[in-house]
Amino acid sequence: MSEKTSIAFRTKCVHAGNGIDTETGAIRRPLIMANSYRLPEDASTLNWSDADQLLYTRNTSANQRYLQEKLAALEGGEDCVVLATGVAALAGVFFTFLDKDAHVVCSNVSYIAVYRLLQEYFPDKYDIETTLVDTADPEQVKQAIRPNTRLIHIETPGNPTTRVTDIAAISRIAKEAGALLTVDSTFASPYLQQPLARGADLVIHSLTKYINGHGDAMGGAVIGCKELVDKIKRQAMVNLGGAISPFNAWMIMRGVVTLPLRMRQHSESALKIAQFLESSPAVAFVAYPGLASHPQHEIAKKQMSMFSGVIAFGLKADVATHNQFVNSLTLIVPAVSIGHDESLMVYTGPTDERNHFYPAEFQNGHLRFSVGLEEADDIIADLIQAFTICGLY
């Protein structure tokens, strides 16, 4: 990979991890649907948990290795481990680096699986405590540090609030505390944000979202220095069995090629649509890092090249009208996930158990809107007709 580290990001998306197939001469890595590989003549000294040698697909597969090479190049990391889902990647990090009686500082609004792992399962099983804070305020993070703090985990932009955390500022706090800083950068993708360059120890992605980009394959990745990634491979991949299927790795490898093109379109359309929503009399609030009204807009400008495709907003309406609005859309699909080619929207009502952690404007319910690759004006027209049906215009 060394010869592919100095080329531009868009070129890496095409060439990193790729190569000529030696058997057929194909110019694209083939899909290798094998669960076992030919052993060496002397297998007596093999480490059966080796995650770098092709032995058995639970340890690693050829397609997984190609994808890991590509993603490490895109994030500027020494190594990468690819797992079955984004949650497998998150759980793998926590399982590997958190021992009994450790303490974690985490974003107080985060992906629901992170909340479950750190607030329920890890405390109950391993006496690991987590302090949830608004990580957009570095002082809150600093005040939460304890002598046994081993990990600071942030999402930026955060799910679903789009809250932005200053990675470099939190990195300084983590280093002073002797803790690892892990950054879930799924909402940004490697094209828009480079957490390792800003001091993160590990960057995590749900590959299911923007990196795959087509809504048809699941995966997760952790990228960083080889020493840390090797630990995750040994402890949380091989021996917990969270390996990605070769087919999904191959599909995601295909999807990455167009990542820069897609992220520019997602970002350009989302900004235009967010500006429209902010000007609409039907809308109570809009949270999008590209808007000057976003509380962390200046930080977002500093650490992101564009602002991605996720908008959070709420209507001047009750729960029933929010649901009617979502079900009146014709192009935008009512579905969970982000980063698909089609636009997706999901409504979360005020009964969400994490509601008290949300900013005040979110607490009456909110819509998470993943802007797709359609023409922005067509999406705006779809929003207008749904507003009209609901009597909001």
Side-chain angles (χ1 to χ4, degrees), residues 151-154 167 170-171 174 179-183 198-202:
L151 183 73
I152 301 174
H153 179 72
I154 63 176
I167 298 168
I170 305 303
S171 172
L180 291 176
L181 173 60
T182 59
V183 177
R198 294 189 169 272
D201 294 292
L202 294 168

Side-chain angles (χ1 to χ4, degrees), residues 28-254:
R28 186 174 300 276
R29 295 292 194 189
L31 170 61
I32 301 171
M33 290 295 290
N35 61 17
S36 295
Y37 293 82
R38 173 71 165 85
L39 296 175
E41 290 185 9
D42 181 4
S44 62
T45 60
L46 284 176
N47 174 1
W48 298 107
S49 293
D50 189 343
D52 292 316
Q53 186 169 350
L54 292 172
L55 302 171
Y56 185 59
T57 293
R58 195 189 76 234
N59 293 39
T60 192
S61 71
N63 293 102
Q64 177 178 337
R65 286 170 57 169
Y66 305 148
L67 181 57
Q68 287 172 171
E69 182 180 340
K70 187 181 286 287
L71 295 175
L74 296 186
E75 282 287 5
E78 290 180 357
D79 202 359
C80 170
V81 56
V82 168
L83 296 156
T85 65
V87 172
L90 290 160
V93 168
F94 301 152
F95 178 85
T96 301
F97 297 108
L98 297 176
D99 295 324
K100 185 177 172 63
D101 297 322
H103 174 250
V104 182
V105 179
C106 181
S107 300
N108 60 3
V109 178
S110 63
Y111 189 56
I112 186 64
V114 172
Y115 181 82
R116 290 265 184 271
L117 287 166
L118 295 180
Q119 286 295 101
E120 296 179 17
Y121 304 148
F122 277 69
D124 291 348
K125 294 177 181 295
Y126 309 117
D127 293 327
I128 293 168
E129 293 187 67
T130 297
T131 302
L132 300 177
V133 300
D134 177 358
T135 54
D137 180 357
E139 190 59 33
Q140 288 193 34
V141 177
K142 199 168 188 176
Q143 292 300 317
I145 296 293
R146 300 180 190 174
N148 62 332
T149 301
R150 297 291 176 264
L151 183 73
I152 301 174
H153 179 72
I154 63 176
E155 284 184 12
T156 185
N159 182 10
T161 61
T162 76
R163 180 183 287 162
V164 175
T165 296
D166 187 331
I167 298 168
I170 305 303
S171 172
R172 291 190 288 271
I173 295 169
K175 285 177 170 52
E176 287 175 9
L180 291 176
L181 173 60
T182 59
V183 177
D184 187 329
S185 192
T186 296
F187 270 34
S189 87
Y191 183 62
L192 302 183
Q193 181 171 272
Q194 298 274 305
L196 297 178
R198 294 189 169 272
D201 294 292
L202 294 168
V203 58
I204 302 163
H205 289 281
S206 172
L207 303 176
T208 311
K209 312 302 194 297
Y210 284 115
I211 289 177
N212 177 51
H214 293 76
D216 54 10
M218 300 192 85
V222 188
I223 303 115
C225 72
K226 183 169 177 54
E227 179 185 1
L228 296 179
V229 172
D230 275 349
K231 289 180 180 179
I232 301 169
K233 288 179 180 179
R234 288 196 308 272
Q235 295 190 32
M237 184 181 70
V238 176
N239 294 303
L240 289 183
I244 192 170
S245 77
F247 182 68
N248 279 0
W250 184 84
M251 292 281 281
I252 295 166
M253 188 89 167
R254 172 221 58 183

Side-chain angles (χ1 to χ4, degrees), residues 274-275 277-279 283-288 291 293-294 311-314:
Q275 290 168 339
L277 289 169
E278 194 169 47
S279 70
V283 174
F285 75 93
V286 183
Y288 179 69
L291 294 175
S293 58
H294 192 280
I311 304 168
F313 70 105

